[in-house]
Amino acid sequence: QGPISGVNKEIAVLQCHGDCDPLVPLMFGSLTVEKLKSMINPANIIFRTYSGMMHSSCIEEMMDVKHFIDKHLPPVD
C-alpha cells in the first residue's frame, strides 16, 4: 500500500521494542517502522528500543507510553 491520505496521515505513533525479544526480532520492529514512515508523516513516529528487554515490558517503556498518552490524548476528568 502507498501513503495514507487525510487526517490519518498525521497520526502519532509510538512503537516500542525490546532488543532481546526472541519472538519478534528487533529487525522486524525496524522494518515495521520503516514501512510506517512510508505511509504516514515520519515526523510523527517515535521508535524506542529497550536494552535487555525480551517479549515483555519494562518500567522505562511504560513511562514512555505514559508520556506519549499524556501528550497526545486529552486528560480524563
Side-chain angles (χ1 to χ4, degrees):
Q1 275 186 337
I4 294 171
S5 61
V7 70
N8 289 333
K9 186 168 180 63
E10 296 302 321
I11 193 167
V13 173
L14 170 64
Q15 182 182 338
C16 303
H17 208 104
D19 67 355
C20 292
D21 189 331
L23 295 177
V24 182
L26 181 57
M27 177 184 70
F28 293 146
S30 298
L31 291 170
T32 300
V33 80
E34 290 307 312
K35 181 65 175 175
L36 280 171
K37 287 179 181 178
S38 73
M39 298 173 69
I40 63 176
N41 184 348
N44 293 341
I45 300 172
I46 300 168
F47 182 54
R48 296 266 193 262
T49 59
Y50 303 92
S51 179
M53 190 172 85
M54 299 181 76
H55 195 73
S56 60
S57 63
C58 65
I59 297 295
E60 183 182 2
E61 179 189 25
M62 293 298 101
M63 291 307 298
D64 288 343
V65 170
K66 180 188 181 315
H67 291 137
F68 181 83
I69 290 170
D70 288 345
K71 180 177 179 181
H72 294 285
L73 295 178
V76 176
D77 293 329

